[in-house]
Amino acid sequence: MTSASLMLPANLFSIAEQEQVQQLIQKFNNQQLQWLAGYLTGLQHSNQQLLQLINRIPVPQESLASEPLPATDPVTVLFGSKSGNSKKIAKNLHDKLIARGFTAVLQDMNQYQGAKLKEEKWLFVVVSTHGEGDPPPAAEDLHSFVHNRKAPLMKETQYAVLALGDRSYASYCKTGKDFDARFNALQATRLIDCMEADVDYEETADAWTEAVLSRLQDKFGAGAPKPAATNGHAAVVNGTVAKPAVAYTRKNPFKATVLEKIQLNGRGSAKETYHVELSLEGSGLSYQPGDTVGIWVENEPTLVNGLLSYRKWDPHTIIIRKDTPVAVGDFLLKNAELTTVSGSFLNAYLPYISDPADAHALKGILTDKQELSAYVFGKDIWDVLQQFPAQISVEDFCQIVLPLQPRLYSIASSFKAHPDEVHLTVGRVQYQHRTRLHRGVASNFVSDFLEVGSEVPVFIETNESFRLPENGSTHVIMVGPGTGIAPFRAFVEERAEEGSGGKNWLFFGDQHFTTDFLYQTEWQRFIKQGNLQKMNTAFSRDTRQKVYVQHRMQQHSSELYRWLEEGAHFYVCGDAKRMAKDVKQSLINIVQQEGGKDEAAAAEYVKQLVKTGRYQEDTY
């Protein structure tokens, strides 16, 4: 339950109920009472009656002696997240602070009032960076506020920042570094230096958390509480030492067996889209609608061999990576990011460029965020080597090329409908660029090499920022063209399994009705069964004038706005560069038109949908 979701009325309890509540909370230990009081204090609409009941409970002196608490103001742990990783790390820190006796409040930047910064004594921030240096949607307002001239001085604040990012972007961890620098400029005291965490963030996050706890312990010395002691022994069950369950993660993926692979497009389509079903049996893995599945694959041998031949590098040359000898050919096949170009790689490659004019041109690209985005789009590493020749050894190249990352796909199934299975919707990516055919590393692996019975390493990645409403009676509106339809198959399956009373409205688009209507028979079945109340489609190549999902939204503007006014949640999945922006702008236009608002008020209406979690995106 989030802070925003707990809204307690001013007079919650009758006299009789007050006695019952007091009897209940008297059973809490000191740390639990401390947590509850801190939690309620942090709420914008906290219940003072309940706080008074808690404060009236006498605390035994022997209990105080055994659970010393530091005489300190509440610690605020603030997170700004898109996929949920920042929240996960922040909650871990918050829980450890509580366990050590501190009063800690966990807050989402989306719900945080910037003016409170001047009141903070202890502030710990975990925030991700979205795209090329932008704050995630949840952090946009606070990021803007602290960079405004109205931002208050923070002379009494001690703080630390953990910045999450993706090293494949030039503006790596920029949002976190922005907050760190700005807090310092507002005269806050940096407790520890800002730490930066890549996509494999776990070790860095754990180190940052322990550093924060250690510095707090140092600050309060003997007055600081001590963590509970543990004996370090394994659990014993029925006289037998219980072995911990294997945890399958990004670093330790589960080898899932392919149960089914079906091409969804009809004959004659310009696209290849596959429905893939994987077995999770025996893994202990589960997921919720909105989560993603990561798959680990290798680069195509033809790409690796072509690159080696172009540079005249010997694939048998041995290099040392992470203290382990490996042949160059194997390294490029299994460990190097070759199909996407990043600002980070270009910056590292720049010093090796031979021609001063080429070096100057690349510098110009790197200094302009929009030009950089346009340049890297559709290119791979081989393109860069061809355009900007360099005197670089194979050893140095393998040092600066980024590590190959898993590819993430929106899960297209409900775990309740398909226990021990996970389904994907994968569109093949391939296109001609200059003289070569470029192929997506994972989509082509799935298309060409993955067959029923074969295995693929997978893991589940949670996405708490893309969730169905907790109340099943809430209506939902889903916009998912192309493979963006995947999570909405999971949404509708889940709501059907739960018997949710809320209505479901789906907007889907693709090129042609006859060949590209993904999961058509399933949608028809859901409609017949009453699990999908409305569906509008846009097939852009079937009409003289191209029609997209945002046009269908506009055609149904009156009803769409009425659903929103009745509390519907709005979801978008798919292309971030154009589609998602067009859909959001169309929604603003609809609110302006149907709500009789000016453009600024309509934009603010949609912004509030985002802040309250009623407008959610899963874009890529």
Side-chain angles (χ1 to χ4, degrees):
M1 181 180 293
T2 64
S3 299
S5 66
L6 183 60
M7 308 293 275
L8 299 172
N11 295 304
L12 181 65
F13 306 115
S14 67
I15 293 175
E17 288 171 333
Q18 287 185 40
E19 293 177 356
Q20 293 177 345
V21 171
Q22 192 156 359
Q23 290 175 2
L24 173 64
I25 59 182
Q26 278 179 331
K27 298 177 181 179
F28 291 2
N29 62 33
N30 284 344
Q31 290 187 5
Q32 291 169 327
L33 290 172
Q34 185 91 350
W35 180 91
L36 184 57
Y39 179 78
L40 290 172
T41 301
L43 291 179
Q44 190 174 357
H45 302 278
S46 61
N47 182 264
Q48 297 304 315
Q49 192 182 15
L50 183 54
L51 279 172
Q52 290 170 7
L53 287 174
I54 294 171
N55 292 332
R56 283 204 294 265
I57 296 176
V59 180
Q61 290 302 308
E62 65 271 20
S63 179
L64 281 173
S66 62
E67 298 179 21
L69 299 176
T72 175
D73 294 285
V75 177
T76 296
V77 183
L78 202 57
F79 64 89
S81 188
K82 186 172 188 296
S83 66
N85 292 335
S86 295
K87 180 179 180 179
K88 189 188 308 178
I89 297 165
K91 186 178 185 305
N92 180 51
L93 172 60
H94 168 267
D95 292 349
K96 288 189 174 183
L97 286 165
I98 295 296
R100 297 189 183 210
F102 290 94
T103 301
V105 178
L106 180 67
Q107 287 207 285
D108 188 336
M109 285 186 180
N110 208 19
Q111 306 296 329
Y112 186 79
Q113 299 297 319
K116 289 181 62 179
L117 286 171
K118 63 184 177 183
E119 303 170 8
E120 301 289 0
K121 297 298 188 289
W122 307 96
L123 180 64
F124 301 107
V125 173
V126 187
V127 63
S128 61
T129 295
H130 183 47
E132 282 291 358
D134 298 320
E140 285 177 352
D141 284 355
L142 187 61
H143 185 268
S144 176
F145 178 82
V146 299
H147 287 86
N148 191 293
R149 288 190 298 177
K150 294 182 180 180
L153 294 180
M154 301 168 63
K155 294 181 180 180
E156 303 300 318
T157 306
Q158 298 196 58
Y159 75 96
V161 176
L162 175 64
L164 301 188
D166 183 341
R167 199 175 292 277
S168 67
Y169 289 96
S171 301
Y172 174 59
C173 290
K174 183 178 184 299
T175 301
K177 290 187 282 190
D178 286 347
F179 275 110
D180 178 72
R182 190 57 183 154
F183 289 161
N184 189 250
L186 293 171
Q187 300 182 28
T189 301
R190 188 183 286 117
L191 198 63
I192 60 174
D193 289 340
C194 177
M195 294 179 67
E196 302 168 11
D198 202 355
V199 288
D200 294 325
Y201 62 84
E202 288 88 353
E203 288 185 12
T204 305
D206 289 344
W208 180 80
T209 299
E210 291 307 314
V212 165
L213 294 169
S214 176
R215 291 292 287 125
L216 281 175
Q217 294 288 137
D218 292 344
K219 281 285 181 180
F220 294 100
K226 303 296 188 292
T230 59
N231 59 20
H233 296 302
V236 177
V237 180
N238 295 329
T240 305
V241 177
K243 295 181 180 179
V246 176
Y248 292 106
T249 63
R250 174 189 288 257
K251 291 186 177 180
N252 181 38
F254 174 72
K255 289 187 177 180
T257 302
V258 179
L259 300 174
E260 190 71 81
K261 176 184 170 184
I262 303 169
Q263 185 172 349
L264 296 175
N265 302 97
R267 185 177 299 175
S269 175
K271 297 185 173 185
E272 285 183 45
T273 310
Y274 292 90
H275 171 78
V276 180
E277 300 180 3
L278 303 175
S279 172
L280 299 179
E281 187 174 359
S283 68
L285 292 171
S286 63
Y287 55 85
Q288 295 184 53
D291 287 343
T292 58
V293 61
I295 65 173
W296 285 98
V297 297
E298 298 178 356
N299 287 308
E300 284 193 282
T302 52
L303 174 62
V304 173
N305 293 335
L307 185 60
L308 287 167
S309 177
Y310 172 75
R311 287 293 312 190
K312 297 182 172 56
W313 287 332
D314 183 354
H316 304 293
T317 300
I318 300 298
I319 58 172
I320 305 298
R321 296 294 289 166
K322 296 182 179 180
D323 300 323
T324 303
V326 59
V328 164
D330 286 341
F331 174 79
L332 295 180
L333 185 70
K334 301 175 182 178
N335 303 108
E337 186 62 75
L338 300 179
T339 58
T340 58
V341 178
S342 65
S344 178
F345 170 79
L346 293 175
N347 270 312
Y349 182 70
L350 181 61
Y352 296 95
I353 295 177
S354 313
D355 189 327
D358 285 345
H360 179 75
L362 185 53
K363 282 182 184 177
I365 291 170
L366 287 166
T367 54
D368 186 313
K369 188 166 74 171
Q370 289 187 334
E371 189 174 352
L372 175 61
S373 180
Y375 174 76
V376 300
F377 182 75
K379 290 185 174 63
D380 63 16
I381 296 297
W382 193 349
D383 292 322
V384 176
L385 300 189
Q386 287 180 310
Q387 185 174 356
F388 299 113
Q391 297 296 323
I392 184 171
S393 67
V394 68
E395 291 82 3
D396 286 347
F397 176 80
C398 292
Q399 188 69 35
I400 69 170
V401 72
L402 295 181
L404 181 63
Q405 296 296 336
R407 270 34 180 186
L408 301 178
Y409 290 94
S410 302
I411 292 175
S413 54
S414 160
F415 194 77
K416 292 177 180 176
H418 308 278
D420 286 333
E421 293 182 16
V422 62
H423 300 178
L424 314 180
T425 310
V426 181
R428 185 200 285 269
V429 176
Q430 61 180 14
Y431 52 91
Q432 194 74 26
H433 181 72
R434 294 188 176 178
T435 60
R436 289 191 299 110
L437 181 67
H438 291 51
R439 292 157 57 88
V441 60
S443 67
N444 283 277
F445 173 82
V446 169
S447 302
D448 294 337
F449 303 111
L450 211 58
E451 299 297 341
V452 172
S454 58
E455 292 183 336
V456 59
V458 303
F459 59 94
I460 301 297
E461 193 150 293
T462 59
N463 184 0
E464 294 191 16
S465 298
F466 202 71
R467 286 283 185 260
L468 281 166
E470 292 183 9
N471 186 342
S473 63
T474 303
H475 300 343
V476 298
I477 303 167
M478 303 162 284
V479 182
T483 55
I485 199 68
F488 302 135
R489 180 177 183 265
F491 276 24
V492 176
E493 283 188 346
E494 182 86 356
R495 304 250 290 181
E497 287 292 315
E498 294 183 338
S500 300
K503 294 180 180 179
N504 303 315
W505 187 352
L506 177 63
F507 289 89
F508 171 71
D510 215 311
Q511 291 188 355
H512 298 285
F513 170 81
T514 56
T515 59
D516 304 314
F517 197 161
L518 307 184
Y519 298 113
Q520 179 184 3
T521 57
E522 292 192 24
W523 302 128
Q524 291 171 335
R525 185 177 73 252
F526 283 131
I527 291 171
K528 185 176 181 179
Q529 293 172 345
N531 297 311
L532 181 61
Q533 282 69 34
K534 289 182 67 66
M535 182 172 189
N536 296 105
T537 57
F539 294 101
S540 59
R541 304 303 192 272
D542 283 347
T543 54
R544 181 175 299 177
Q545 186 173 359
K546 292 181 180 179
V547 178
Y548 297 112
V549 286
Q550 61 267 26
H551 300 131
R552 296 301 188 212
M553 288 169 51
Q554 189 66 50
Q555 290 171 0
H556 297 269
S557 60
S558 176
E559 187 172 8
L560 197 154
Y561 181 69
R562 179 166 57 81
W563 277 43
L564 290 177
E565 286 290 277
E566 292 172 354
H569 286 213
F570 190 93
Y571 299 88
V572 185
C573 182
D575 169 55
K577 290 184 179 293
R578 291 180 296 272
M579 183 278 296
K581 292 178 181 178
D582 291 342
V583 166
K584 180 176 279 189
Q585 185 58 54
S586 292
L587 190 61
I588 292 171
N589 295 343
I590 288 170
V591 171
Q592 182 178 357
Q593 171 188 322
E594 301 296 336
K597 305 176 187 295
D598 60 27
E599 186 174 358
E604 180 61 27
Y605 182 101
V606 174
K607 185 176 182 180
Q608 289 304 313
L609 293 179
V610 175
K611 287 181 71 66
T612 56
R614 289 180 54 205
Y615 185 109
Q616 298 181 26
E617 292 183 343
D618 177 14
T619 56
Y620 36 84

